[in-house]
Amino acid sequence: MKRITMALICILILGCKEDPKAKKLDNNSKTETTNNTVKTAKKSTNTTSIAFLENIKNLEKDTSNNPIDSFKKEATPIAKKVINITKTNIKDALTTAKNFKHAVITVEDHTIVTLDLEDCKPSGAWGACMPKAEGYIKKGTLQYQNDYANNIIGLPDGQERLLFLF
């Protein structure tokens, strides 16, 4: 009986060793999801490799089927922080964003905007002062947008809205 108990304890200890919330992306990066926040750490952060951050119009030059989805895949391991934004955490997320050089919001795989955190306008729907934004909405083709973020990313709903901070 002692052997069975010891074997079960060993299996339990070994089975609980890995954190199920942590996922390994590649050899240089690790992502952890906690409370609607995705934290990303990488040994070297080279944001110049993402052309969109240097010039928004570079997205039009992307030849992939969905440049917004391509941006998300490329940016996730490079971003210093990625936050899943909702109506309840938007104020804190935008306050955090002020400490970073670049802030980009994506909505699913159809909208991408870069934020100007110095200029904002109160939004009743979001319950926050939403910053000026510039980017694209994909409706068949990319359509350029330059307005306040709430008018581009839409009303708070179940869609995935990620705030990438670089």
Side-chain angles (χ1 to χ4, degrees):
M1 189 67 171
K2 286 184 181 182
R3 289 183 180 176
I4 293 174
T5 305
M6 292 301 284
L8 288 174
I9 290 173
C10 289
I11 291 171
L12 182 62
I13 290 172
L14 293 174
C16 294
K17 191 174 184 179
E18 187 176 332
D19 183 3
K21 292 183 180 180
K23 296 179 183 177
K24 190 164 175 118
L25 291 176
D26 60 33
N27 291 338
N28 295 330
S29 61
K30 182 178 175 184
T31 299
E32 176 185 322
T33 305
T34 310
N35 297 335
N36 291 334
T37 302
V38 180
K39 298 177 183 175
T40 304
K42 187 162 175 80
K43 289 181 182 174
S44 64
T45 57
N46 183 7
T47 58
T48 57
S49 66
I50 301 178
F52 179 78
L53 295 177
E54 298 306 315
N55 183 353
I56 296 158
K57 300 285 184 177
N58 284 333
L59 197 68
E60 294 175 3
K61 298 174 187 173
D62 191 320
T63 58
S64 65
N65 188 30
N66 189 337
I68 298 167
D69 196 40
S70 296
F71 170 85
K72 288 171 60 174
K73 288 177 184 172
E74 189 177 348
T76 299
I78 295 173
K80 292 180 181 171
K81 195 168 194 178
V82 179
I83 303 171
N84 185 0
I85 56 174
T86 62
K87 183 176 180 174
T88 57
N89 73 353
I90 189 73
K91 284 182 186 178
D92 293 335
L94 292 173
T95 301
T96 301
K98 290 182 180 183
N99 298 322
F100 293 87
K101 182 177 180 182
H102 299 285
V104 176
I105 294 178
T106 61
V107 182
E108 299 283 337
D109 65 350
H110 57 77
T111 304
I112 185 168
V113 293
T114 186
L115 305 177
D116 173 6
L117 298 165
E118 300 301 317
D119 183 8
C120 73
K121 176 180 167 185
S123 168
W126 282 95
C129 193
M130 296 298 281
K132 187 79 168 169
E134 184 178 14
Y136 293 91
I137 295 176
K138 187 174 186 304
K139 294 182 180 177
T141 60
L142 292 174
Q143 297 179 1
Y144 177 77
Q145 304 288 309
N146 188 359
D147 199 350
Y148 288 95
N150 56 313
N151 296 329
I152 302 172
I153 67 171
L155 298 171
D157 58 18
Q159 294 185 74
E160 177 190 63
R161 288 177 175 81
L162 298 176
L163 174 60
F164 292 87
L165 302 172
F166 303 93

